[in-house]
């Protein structure tokens, strides 16, 4: 009887961990990190195309990454939807195998990982996993409107 109880407890704990991890995947999390231009991070981002001239969606992928195809479709769809806005967002894809330095600098630990940068080059959101189109659009749309100041 004790063995069955232990087995049930282990299965229940594994189920709870699995549900928690699934809920977190693809969630848009605000970061608000500022990147000084003269820093190594700023230089690497500028080299990738995040110049601060407008909002940018930077996503890391690899040829061997299956979910990265879904990220490409989601990001392309959202950036295309916002292409007519005052500050259209850039869609920047980085192959993690070709540019590991930037991935290390941004602390990318898994693929796919997506970042949203504002018009000042500040990291505003970080998404691990495949983002939901609506969530990405909601996060990105306010960044495509110029500040009234």
């Amino acid at each position: 009887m004790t063995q069955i109880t232990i087995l049930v407890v282990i299965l229940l704990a594994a189920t709870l961990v699995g549900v928690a991890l699934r809920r977190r995947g693809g969630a848009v999390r605000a970061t608000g990190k500022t990147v000084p231009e003269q820093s190594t991070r700023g230089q690497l981002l500028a080299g990738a195309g995040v110049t601060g001239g407008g909002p940018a969606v930077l996503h890391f992928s690899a040829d061997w990454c299956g979910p990265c195809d879904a990220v490409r479709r989601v990001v392309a769809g959202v950036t295309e939807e916002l292409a007519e806005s005052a500050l259209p967002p850039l869609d920047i894809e980085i192959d993690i195998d070709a540019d590991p330095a930037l991935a290390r600098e941004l602390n990318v630990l898994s693929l796919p990982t997506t970042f949203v940068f504002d018009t000042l080059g500040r990291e505003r959101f970080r998404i691990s996993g495949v983002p939901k189109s609506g969530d990405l659009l909601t996060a990105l749309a306010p960044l495509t409107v110029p500040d009234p100041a």
Side-chain angles (χ1 to χ4, degrees):
M1 184 66 177
T2 304
Q3 295 168 337
I4 292 175
T5 304
I6 291 172
L7 180 63
V8 168
V9 168
I10 290 173
L11 288 174
L12 182 60
T15 301
L16 292 174
V17 168
V19 168
L21 289 175
R22 179 163 288 257
R23 290 180 131 220
R24 185 175 175 195
V28 177
R29 298 180 313 230
T31 58
K33 295 179 183 175
T34 304
V35 181
E37 289 181 22
Q38 62 274 27
S39 71
T40 302
R41 183 178 184 159
Q43 291 171 353
L44 289 169
L45 285 170
V50 180
T51 59
V57 180
L58 174 75
H59 50 108
F60 286 90
S61 64
D63 292 336
W64 46 265
C65 173
C68 294
D69 288 334
V71 173
R72 282 184 200 101
R73 287 189 300 273
V74 170
V75 172
V78 170
T79 55
E80 185 177 312
E81 191 171 332
L82 295 171
E84 298 300 319
S85 59
L87 297 168
L90 297 173
D91 176 359
I92 303 169
E93 182 176 355
I94 302 292
D95 185 336
I96 197 167
D97 295 326
D99 198 351
L102 181 56
R104 258 191 315 275
E105 187 66 34
L106 293 175
N107 202 20
V108 174
L109 301 176
S110 64
L111 290 180
T113 300
T114 305
F115 295 89
V116 175
F117 293 91
D118 65 11
T119 56
L120 300 175
R122 294 178 301 199
E123 180 184 324
R124 297 292 295 269
F125 300 99
R126 178 186 185 112
I127 307 157
S128 297
V130 179
K132 294 170 184 63
S133 182
D135 291 344
L136 184 59
L137 183 62
T138 301
L140 193 56
L143 303 177
T144 63
V145 179
D147 285 333

